[in-house]
Amino acid sequence: DQTNISQTGRRNFGGEIWRGLPGVQEIGAYLDFRFMIYLFSGDDTPKKLFAYEEFLKTLSERTPVFFVSKNDFDFTQLESFYSGASLFSAQSAVVLRDILEDEEIRKFILEKLKFLGESQNIFVFMEGELKKPVLDAFKKARTELNIFEKKPTPSGGGKKFDNFLIANAFAS
């Protein structure tokens, strides 16, 4: 129920994490709960990659990890990942990289988020900047959102650079 979803955030590796349920960390620690969908998004690539690598270290060594990019994305393969467990392990991790850039794939993924969240497998999305409707769909699916945005830097003390400054100096 969307009315029960809160937006409790905390900082992690310089990014913003939105938890889907209030107190989920405390409950999760007690029940050994893990989210099934993780999203690493934003334009601050170094921090995003660091957090992603740290997350991968938390997976069991016995958990097979599959990597899928937009160039080798297969709709049927994704359905098989969320519909059943692997023959060789109880749980797999599927890392999907930059697949939401493609409109057809993005629409398919957003329609299947509920099934991804109910799966035995873990789904990790590595994406650039995403628009609010996409982020909202992931929040609704109770995804752990890791948003990494660069801080705006002041340029020249607030003064805008004049491209014609040198030309005007020579003209006078």
Side-chain angles (χ1 to χ4, degrees), residues 13 40-42 44-56 97 126 148:
F13 305 115
F40 294 85
S41 172
D44 194 340
T45 305
K47 288 183 181 178
K48 179 174 63 176
L49 286 174
F50 178 77
Y52 162 73
E53 289 168 359
E54 290 297 310
F55 169 76
L56 287 182
R97 190 172 197 111
M126 283 289 293
F148 299 90

Side-chain angles (χ1 to χ4, degrees), residues 7 14 35 100 115 131 143:
Q7 294 182 344
F35 286 95
L100 298 177
F115 301 113
K131 295 186 179 184
T143 301

Side-chain angles (χ1 to χ4, degrees), residues 15-16 20 22 25 33-34 53 71 77 99-100 106 117 139:
E16 190 171 336
Q25 285 180 273
F33 173 80
R34 283 193 92 136
E53 289 168 359
N71 297 331
Q77 181 185 34
I99 63 162
L100 298 177
R106 180 176 56 246
K139 283 181 193 175

